Amino acid sequence: MVSSNGLNSCTDEQFIELWDAHQSVTKIAKILGVTERAVNYRRRRMEERVNVKLDGIDIRSVKYDATRPKSFSPLKQVDLGILDGTVIVFSDAHFIPGQRSTAFKGLLWAIETLSPKAVIANGDSFDGAAISRHDPTDQRATTVIQELKACQGALGEIEETAKAQHHNVRLIHTWGNHDARFANRLAQHAPQYKDVLGFKITDHIPDWEFCWACWPTSNTIVKHRYKGGIHATHNNTINAGVNIVTGHLHSLKVTPFSDYNGIRYGVDTGTLAEPDGPQFTYAELNPNNHRSGFAVLTFFNGELLWPELVHAFSEDCIQFRGEVIDVGAF
């Protein structure tokens, strides 16, 4: 082995020996007393000169491996393994007391009609207006407990409808940035209570499985957000390399993308709330490019068919598959 006297005195043979023993840029940098950048530079230079591939477990440029977990972090994800069937995805409900949006009624209709294998709440069911960074005087006076009860009631109704149609339906809830407000506020001001029951939003919504990402199939991911901006759905699927279904931007649209690997889709699931509802008064009455609705994903032989959208057409009416459907009874 080589002593800790730097890269200059380390021969190629000694560097390869170190690499075979540790396969870690961080560890080798510490042994040699140099920066990780210097180790990476030496490694690349040696690969070119000696024609030896020095792969390791912490190389950030490693290619995507479909057999690995879909998230390279300890954050929880859920694999549904669906071959054939329907998954309904809604997001950004921002549930508040007294609001029963047309899209929410349409969601109950769709669950009852399509009998999905899974219902995914793709983030931001909880709004958290009272603990947000926005001016609280410019928002509806709802307290945390009022919003929490609104979430429990609405998600409970969705759960009952889904289980009545499909007894073993999967109920998944991905984390959204608004949902995270609940625990973040408590963590900042009362960290000593973090393990006390009730300090996590999951304590209050126990029948939904929370995660950072859900994979209905190996080539389709559902998560709250990825890229931003008006071209987010296009950029999402280009950069993800798979079908990707997101919320956060409230846009409600499908963007197809084709290359030598075939066709894949970027989907924005819109908002389940009314776009001009009191949850969004922080926008100061500016026009927005938001639409109320949700997405229906149909899988055949493990492949995602062209994603479909359900859009709030008018009060108590939705549009879906070329029809206007009255959902006022829900």
Side-chain angles (χ1 to χ4, degrees):
M1 293 295 291
V2 66
S3 61
S4 302
N5 56 358
L7 278 176
N8 290 335
S9 61
C10 181
T11 66
D12 288 348
E13 291 75 13
Q14 289 172 325
F15 187 86
I16 293 174
E17 184 182 351
L18 277 173
W19 192 267
D20 289 340
H22 301 285
Q23 292 191 334
S24 168
V25 171
T26 302
K27 290 179 180 179
I28 295 174
K30 185 175 293 186
I31 291 172
L32 297 176
V34 298
T35 66
E36 293 182 17
R37 183 177 181 181
V39 174
N40 268 320
Y41 176 75
R42 173 68 176 270
R43 169 175 159 262
R44 294 301 183 196
R45 201 155 51 91
M46 278 193 57
E47 287 181 334
E48 295 173 0
R49 186 175 66 252
V50 187
N51 195 27
V52 173
K53 190 67 175 174
L54 300 178
D55 287 325
I57 58 174
D58 68 345
I59 301 306
R60 296 179 184 178
S61 61
V62 66
K63 291 183 179 179
Y64 174 79
D65 182 353
T67 65
R68 293 185 62 181
K70 302 307 183 299
S71 171
F72 305 134
S73 76
L75 302 177
K76 182 180 179 181
Q77 58 190 335
V78 172
D79 290 301
L80 296 180
I82 292 176
L83 186 63
D84 299 298
T86 299
V87 174
I88 294 178
V89 186
F90 70 92
S91 69
D92 300 272
H94 299 274
F95 291 121
I96 60 173
Q99 184 183 88
R100 191 177 180 84
S101 70
T102 294
F104 176 77
K105 297 175 186 178
L107 176 65
L108 298 180
W109 171 86
I111 292 172
E112 190 173 283
T113 303
L114 302 175
S115 187
K117 289 189 173 181
V119 177
I120 303 176
N122 198 17
D124 285 359
S125 294
F126 177 77
D127 185 65
I131 51 176
S132 75
R133 60 182 175 83
H134 298 292
D135 181 2
T137 63
D138 195 32
Q139 302 199 27
R140 180 172 175 164
T142 53
T143 64
V144 170
I145 188 62
Q146 287 174 325
E147 289 188 5
L148 194 56
K149 288 183 176 180
C151 280
Q152 291 172 319
L155 292 175
E157 194 169 352
I158 294 169
E159 175 191 349
E160 290 176 6
T161 304
K163 288 185 176 180
Q165 300 304 312
H166 203 289
H167 73 279
N168 60 345
V169 63
R170 295 289 296 273
L171 300 170
I172 309 296
H173 198 304
T174 64
W175 285 103
N177 52 300
H178 281 251
D179 303 312
R181 285 178 178 176
F182 188 91
N184 288 347
R185 181 74 172 216
L186 293 170
Q188 291 167 6
H189 296 280
Q192 301 86 350
Y193 289 82
K194 70 173 184 176
D195 294 323
V196 175
L197 184 67
F199 266 56
K200 301 185 295 295
I201 198 169
T202 52
D203 295 334
H204 304 275
I205 310 172
D207 295 317
W208 290 71
E209 190 173 358
F210 275 73
C211 60
W212 281 100
C214 177
W215 292 79
T217 68
S218 61
N219 60 7
T220 302
I221 186 173
V222 180
K223 65 193 308 293
H224 182 63
R225 58 181 177 174
Y226 184 25
K227 302 292 183 179
I230 192 171
H231 301 298
T233 49
H234 174 80
N235 293 329
N236 282 349
T237 193
I238 285 180
N239 286 274
V242 294
N243 304 305
I244 179 167
V245 183
T246 56
H248 189 59
L249 299 179
H250 305 181
S251 291
L252 192 65
K253 59 186 177 183
V254 175
T255 303
F257 177 79
S258 300
D259 58 17
Y260 288 126
N261 294 312
I263 185 171
R264 57 185 185 268
Y265 307 95
V267 182
D268 184 312
T269 50
T271 172
L272 204 68
E274 300 290 354
D276 58 352
Q279 306 97 313
F280 310 122
T281 54
Y282 58 80
E284 301 176 2
L285 299 181
N286 292 321
N288 61 50
N289 189 26
H290 298 173
R291 285 163 289 278
S292 186
F294 52 92
V296 175
L297 309 179
T298 303
F299 296 92
F300 177 74
N301 286 340
E303 294 296 323
L304 176 62
L305 304 184
W306 196 292
E308 299 174 286
L309 300 178
V310 178
H311 180 225
F313 180 75
S314 62
E315 186 174 358
D316 286 346
C317 287
I318 59 170
Q319 55 178 320
F320 180 54
R321 293 178 178 172
E323 295 184 43
V324 174
I325 302 161
D326 189 337
V327 293
F330 286 86

